[in-house]
Amino acid sequence: MARLTVNGHVRHVDDDPDTPLLWVLRDTLGMAGTKYGCGIAQCGACTVHVDGVAARSCALTLAAVEGKAITTIEGLAANGLLHRVQQAWIAHDVPQCGYCQSGMIMAVAALLKQTPHPTDAEIDAAITNICRCGTYQRVRAAIHSAASA
Amino acid sequence: MNYVPKIDRRSFVIGTAAAGAGFSLGMSLPFGEAHAQQGTPELNAWVVVKPDDTVVVRIARSEMGQGALTGLCQLVAEELEADWSKVTWEYVDPRENVRRKRIYGNMNSTGSNAIRQSHDYVRRGGAAARQMLIQAAAAEWKVPASECTAANSIITHTPSGRKTSYGKVVNAAVKIEPPDPKSLTLKDPKVWKIAGKPIARLDTRAKVTGEQKYAADTQLPGMLNAAIKACPVRGGKVVSFDAAKVKGMKGVKNVLAVGGTAVAVVADTWWHAKTALDALPVTWDEGPGAKVSSATIEATLKEGLEAETPFIGNRAGDINAALAGAAKKVEATYAYPYQNHACMEPLNATARYTADKCEVWTSTQNAEAVLAAAVEASGLPFNNVEVTVVTAGGGFGRRARTDYVTQAVQIARQMPGTPIKLLWSREEDMTQGTYHPITMCKLTASLDANNNLTGLRMRISGQSILAGIAPERLDKGRDPATFQGLNAGGTEGQIGYDIPNILIDHAMRNPHLTPGFWRGVNNNQNAIYLECFIDEVAHAAGQDPLAFRRKMMAKHPRHLAVLNAAAEKADYGKPLPKGVFRGIAQQMGYGSYVAAVAEVSVSSDGLLTIHRIVGATDSGHVVNPASVERQIAGSFVYGLSAILYGGCTVKDGRVEQTNFDSYNSMRMAAMPKVESVLVPSGGFWGGVGEPTIFVAAPAVLNAIFAATGKRIRSFPLKDQGIRTA
């Protein structure tokens, strides 16, 4: 039985220690907002925060996150108020199919925590998520807008 | 209604394709009697108004990111004179379409068709509903309907100033005889208030909160998860597998053969299913495909470049005479590789089968094809099969196929009563693609003494999509789709140049991999072949590539106008910063005209930076300019990803790329600044989901040539010494 905190709630799960966090979230805890895209930490669709830092949950075992605080897309809004990144995403109408956007938004929220006013080069270095619809231009605009919010 | 068609997969799919010719069913038939939907009667098949003024627009096409959902709602709301803030939507149940004699027309969303081939009848649905609501209000007020107007979901009796809302009169309105759709006059797009505007998408909020449910997120009580592996060599079969080896693994509930070609593990969680599947010993009969490699395919295609063929796409004048009399000849051979769709949401479907019912939940580009596949795979009568369409995490043509639906039902059928969610791994998605077809093209041009292009000979050799997946659509063995963008005339894919002597033909060579429709389809390689080669000819003629093109476009004013629009916005002809070079391309397809100007630099060690791309589109009408801009920018990403990093290679009959580590996709760092130029010239309805992708690669490739002096003719660029940040 592993103990972890997900979006502020303590959860006990009895998955094997080598189970990827992604599948603990999706299948054991029934939280489908975090997406499977590749399973090898390439695409970033599964990005969550582990103790406030962006991490690709498909390549992170349950053992590695035991006792840690996980934030998923479902927990990004606080007190019913959307996170400024989510608000910027709505203002810029960023998503197309949207499947990669949970991970993209989580990656950006973590970036802004570390680097409140990222340059384009800093965005390029930090946001490496794949979006096959190709909505990167709006992602960039929304990041700058969230940074100045 | 007692209408129950004889349904089988083949006739259904053919019927669907045949309906594509006219798309008139939705309007040639009456809108039908009022159907109760969740207790609320409908005004017609497209429009439900609830007593609280909520407007529900029925969406028969698929939303996979392209924005058709919002655009179709805009068109209906425009004619309905609806309050946009009250507009919501629901997907059409494909069974309803069959039961109601295909009142919703074609439900397929491919070929950039979702709006351009249904705009007329959905708008008539909105207009008819508005007329009925006005009539109901007029009857209640005992005034002539002609004295009443509607706007913003409010009906006003102009002489008296009385007002009422749609929701207040809807119960009376549904009892009114619907007008003949043909009798309705649709609004001139010039007076549109909702359509034609860059309105925000209706599905954004759920997509930023994680609340949007994709098919892969389906959860049902008692549901189990399945992972699947089909023979990695297309055409191969399962010989045997050692289920005992994995049955004791954690969570495993079942190990199954699926359709003779695949094995699946069913478990409590998908991770358990996948882990056991990876450990499952399987013996395959790989079949003759196992002997195929990229080298054998290349040899076959090269043979086709010189072989005899009866399949002609475009012929005018006397090409042989033109080549024989040429003052100068230019010749080049290009090749375009296989590509995988790689939708972000891996293919999946959930199915529950019992002796008298089969239910399917999935995302698709063709809900009717899913229904047909489920009927066939379940063996149950049509009326006992239910399909629920869920929003798709990308489609790009892959979700026009239903192989994953068939598999889900085949698994569920072996475990009656238990809902099974089948999710393909990314590796399965990469291995079991319906790939963008592989082709080569040999081009020869003749120039006269004044450097005018007098003749163009194009020999395409390679795979036919229709031969692979829709042979009933071949024309005496010829695949007309092979010539997209190269046709002499027509509204779908007309070549933009007037060349007096021309011969374009196709030597069909079909390797064992299954081909498929991949965003842009055959325009992708045809635009590279034609537009890069025209660039080569322009340089051979010592002329500017834009000026050289313009000379040949006088009889193609729309092609020319969009090319000019792109060139003007890109300041073509004005100096660029040192080390930055331009490339241009234009093409026409899916009813729209597109052009692009790319600005790139290439370092001495091959680092490519795409600084800026201007993309111009004439789609006739524009339903949502913001959506069009998104499709333009996204088309550059999808098309350039393929040319920069994509390409599927074959070894021992298998596709070698298995995930995004070997089949990469463009990311933020390589994304150019995209500027969209919308130049709708009116009078026609062109698509926007695909056209821009045609010019993405050739514009950049021509710019790379301008920068380096080196013409690259096979792809991906990563294998040609070109990399990106």
Side-chain angles (χ1 to χ4, degrees):
Chain A
M1 193 69 82
R3 180 184 185 278
L4 58 162
T5 306
V6 181
N7 298 334
H9 301 282
V10 175
R11 309 295 295 256
H12 298 274
V13 295
D14 68 353
D15 288 311
D16 286 338
D18 63 351
T19 307
L21 173 61
L22 170 64
W23 297 104
V24 173
L25 292 170
R26 286 185 61 84
D27 282 358
T28 307
L29 298 176
M31 298 169 65
T34 305
K35 305 302 184 194
Y36 165 68
C38 70
I40 58 167
Q42 282 288 318
C43 77
C46 66
T47 303
V48 299
H49 296 175
V50 178
D51 288 342
V53 177
R56 294 185 171 176
S57 64
C58 73
L60 210 51
T61 64
L62 177 57
V65 297
E66 184 155 9
K68 300 198 168 168
I70 313 298
T71 306
T72 71
I73 188 72
E74 292 95 336
L76 195 59
N79 307 318
L81 190 68
L82 293 184
H83 188 277
R84 63 194 164 112
V85 173
Q86 291 170 308
Q87 291 180 26
W89 248 240
I90 290 172
H92 288 267
D93 224 2
V94 173
Q96 292 191 26
C97 91
Y99 189 83
C100 72
Q101 293 296 314
S102 293
M104 190 82 81
I105 288 167
M106 295 307 287
V108 170
L111 168 67
L112 293 185
K113 202 182 291 182
Q114 263 188 339
T115 312
H117 298 283
T119 62
D120 281 337
E122 286 168 329
I123 291 170
D124 290 345
I127 307 303
T128 57
N129 302 48
I130 293 177
C131 170
R132 291 287 284 167
C133 297
T135 193
Y136 298 122
Q137 190 149 291
R138 283 175 186 252
V139 168
R140 189 183 302 281
I143 293 173
H144 287 307
S145 161
S148 55
Chain B
M1 283 196 145
N2 297 318
Y3 175 72
V4 180
K6 180 178 175 293
I7 179 167
D8 66 70
R9 183 185 172 78
R10 189 174 160 76
S11 66
F12 200 108
V13 171
I14 291 170
T16 303
F23 296 101
S24 58
L25 281 164
M27 56 169 287
S28 63
L29 290 162
F31 288 125
E33 78 260 37
H35 278 239
Q37 185 92 13
Q38 294 163 348
T40 307
E42 63 175 39
L43 286 152
N44 58 57
W46 302 102
V47 180
V48 175
V49 174
K50 296 184 176 177
D52 68 356
D53 288 328
T54 303
V55 173
V56 182
V57 176
R58 299 257 173 78
I59 301 295
R61 307 285 178 152
S62 301
E63 175 56 50
M64 49 191 162
Q66 86 281 38
L69 165 67
T70 303
L72 289 166
C73 285
Q74 285 177 265
L75 289 172
V76 173
E78 180 68 53
E79 293 292 341
L80 181 61
E81 296 288 357
D83 176 349
W84 181 250
S85 70
K86 304 277 171 59
V87 172
T88 179
W89 53 276
E90 65 187 16
Y91 289 125
V92 168
D93 176 346
R95 282 199 311 183
E96 280 293 293
N97 200 25
V98 179
R99 284 181 181 143
R100 298 175 71 175
K101 303 184 185 179
R102 306 199 74 243
I103 196 165
Y104 293 102
N106 188 352
M107 294 181 73
N108 194 12
S109 299
T110 56
S112 301
N113 70 358
I115 286 175
R116 74 185 175 111
Q117 293 180 341
S118 62
H119 61 87
D120 188 86
Y121 52 73
V122 303
R123 285 187 295 154
R124 286 178 198 280
R130 180 194 70 226
Q131 186 168 316
M132 290 158 73
L133 290 159
I134 289 174
Q135 277 177 18
E140 191 184 308
W141 294 330
K142 299 189 170 57
V143 299
S146 58
E147 291 180 4
C148 301
T149 59
N152 234 15
S153 290
I154 300 289
I155 302 160
T156 303
H157 178 234
T158 311
S160 69
R162 289 182 74 175
K163 291 181 189 295
T164 188
S165 78
Y166 282 180
K168 293 198 177 77
V169 297
V170 68
N171 284 328
V174 297
K175 297 183 186 108
I176 290 171
E177 180 72 19
D180 177 357
K182 287 188 209 126
S183 72
L184 301 164
T185 304
L186 298 177
K187 287 179 161 183
D188 185 328
K190 290 191 184 79
V191 301
W192 280 350
K193 295 173 293 188
I194 298 171
K197 307 300 176 204
I199 284 175
R201 295 175 62 115
L202 289 170
D203 52 354
T204 294
R205 189 185 166 91
K207 287 177 175 176
V208 308
T209 59
E211 287 159 16
Q212 175 71 58
K213 291 288 178 255
Y214 299 87
D217 303 330
T218 302
Q219 286 288 346
L220 296 166
M223 187 184 84
L224 296 177
N225 291 275
I228 195 161
K229 185 187 288 177
C231 183
V233 179
R234 190 55 60 92
K237 293 179 170 59
V238 179
V239 174
S240 64
F241 54 94
D242 189 356
K245 276 258 166 52
V246 303
K247 272 209 161 150
M249 290 177 71
K250 191 169 180 185
V252 172
K253 307 288 184 186
N254 214 337
V255 184
L256 305 161
V258 184
T261 57
V263 290
V265 174
V266 179
D268 54 353
T269 68
W270 188 78
W271 181 249
H272 287 149
K274 165 80 161 52
T275 304
L277 181 66
D278 288 344
L280 179 69
V282 185
T283 305
W284 307 103
D285 169 9
E286 295 181 348
K291 294 195 184 75
V292 177
S293 67
S294 285
T296 67
I297 294 171
E298 186 181 343
T300 304
L301 267 53
K302 277 187 172 162
E303 177 273 323
L305 288 178
E306 307 297 338
E308 294 289 314
T309 178
F311 301 145
I312 291 169
N314 190 346
R315 177 161 55 187
D318 185 341
I319 186 64
N320 289 331
L323 291 172
K328 193 186 289 177
K329 279 205 279 187
V330 184
E331 188 172 298
T333 300
Y334 283 77
Y336 191 88
Y338 281 118
Q339 301 287 354
N340 193 296
H341 300 81
C343 308
M344 285 309 299
E345 181 195 10
L347 300 176
N348 67 88
T350 301
R352 176 162 54 201
Y353 173 93
T354 61
D356 59 1
K357 194 174 185 186
C358 178
E359 299 156 276
V360 172
W361 296 260
T362 195
S363 50
T364 178
Q365 291 175 242
N366 190 343
E368 288 184 296
V370 168
L371 177 60
V375 166
E376 184 178 83
S378 68
L380 291 172
F382 164 79
N383 271 327
N384 300 37
V385 178
E386 280 179 20
V387 170
T388 302
V389 176
V390 188
T391 290
F396 311 115
R398 184 63 182 87
R399 282 190 160 89
R401 309 301 299 161
T402 55
D403 42 351
Y404 54 102
V405 175
T406 298
Q407 289 176 341
V409 174
Q410 286 170 332
I411 295 168
R413 212 176 156 175
Q414 298 181 63
M415 301 180 71
T418 303
I420 307 285
K421 178 162 75 182
L422 170 66
L423 171 66
W424 284 22
S425 64
R426 179 58 64 194
E427 290 76 12
E428 190 70 2
D429 174 73
M430 289 285 178
T431 311
Q432 302 297 332
T434 57
Y435 302 91
H436 185 298
I438 190 167
T439 59
M440 295 179 78
C441 186
K442 183 177 171 185
L443 304 102
T444 313
S446 57
L447 291 165
D448 66 16
N450 296 320
N451 278 321
N452 296 308
L453 180 61
T454 56
L456 175 67
R457 172 82 175 93
M458 285 178 75
R459 160 57 63 85
I460 300 163
S461 172
Q463 194 152 12
S464 151
I465 300 171
L466 297 186
I469 60 173
E472 71 281 357
R473 287 168 62 188
L474 291 174
D475 169 22
K476 299 189 183 81
R478 188 185 77 111
D479 178 350
T482 300
F483 304 102
Q484 283 182 300
L486 306 175
N487 295 304
T491 58
E492 280 299 299
Q494 187 187 129
I495 195 168
Y497 304 116
D498 189 28
I499 302 168
N501 302 288
I502 194 163
L503 176 59
I504 303 173
D505 57 11
H506 176 214
M508 193 187 292
R509 297 291 182 274
N510 294 322
H512 73 302
L513 292 187
T514 306
F517 299 101
W518 188 100
R519 192 180 197 175
V521 192
N522 292 301
N523 290 287
N524 289 303
Q525 74 272 19
N526 288 347
I528 291 173
Y529 299 157
L530 181 65
E531 284 300 281
C532 290
F533 186 66
I534 289 288
D535 224 63
E536 294 198 45
V537 177
H539 283 99
Q543 294 176 36
D544 172 78
L546 176 61
F548 186 72
R549 283 174 171 83
R550 280 175 172 162
K551 283 198 303 183
M552 302 187 288
M553 298 176 76
K555 291 181 183 165
H556 300 275
R558 282 179 175 148
H559 290 78
L560 178 60
V562 80
L563 178 63
N564 285 338
E568 185 182 336
K569 174 78 174 180
D571 300 320
Y572 194 94
K574 289 190 189 161
L576 287 165
K578 191 170 183 303
V580 179
F581 295 86
R582 287 193 185 94
I584 61 167
Q586 66 82 25
Q587 174 94 342
M588 186 264 174
Y590 300 114
S592 290
Y593 302 79
V594 291
V597 180
E599 297 173 6
V600 313
S601 56
V602 185
S603 73
S604 56
D605 64 342
L607 178 66
L608 168 70
T609 306
I610 309 170
H611 302 278
R612 176 192 188 208
I613 301 186
V614 173
T617 296
D618 179 2
S619 57
H621 296 292
V622 171
V623 176
N624 185 322
S627 278
V628 177
E629 284 170 19
R630 267 188 290 265
Q631 291 306 296
I632 288 173
S635 289
F636 285 121
V637 174
Y638 204 73
L640 293 175
S641 291
I643 211 77
L644 290 166
Y645 329 105
C648 300
T649 53
V650 182
K651 189 181 178 191
D652 299 331
R654 297 155 164 77
V655 168
E656 293 186 280
Q657 290 69 26
T658 57
N659 207 317
F660 288 122
D661 54 348
S662 45
Y663 191 81
N664 198 3
S665 195
M666 182 186 277
R667 302 165 196 242
M668 294 285 298
M671 177 72 192
K673 180 184 175 208
V674 171
E675 293 171 36
S676 303
V677 186
L678 276 47
V679 285
S681 57
F684 65 99
W685 295 72
V688 296
E690 293 170 277
T692 294
I693 198 171
F694 317 158
V695 289
V700 168
L701 291 168
N702 289 338
I704 290 173
F705 173 79
T708 64
K710 188 182 163 209
R711 189 64 70 173
I712 299 173
R713 302 188 185 92
S714 68
F715 314 104
L717 294 174
K718 74 178 169 70
D719 295 340
Q720 305 291 331
I722 299 280
R723 66 182 204 284
T724 60

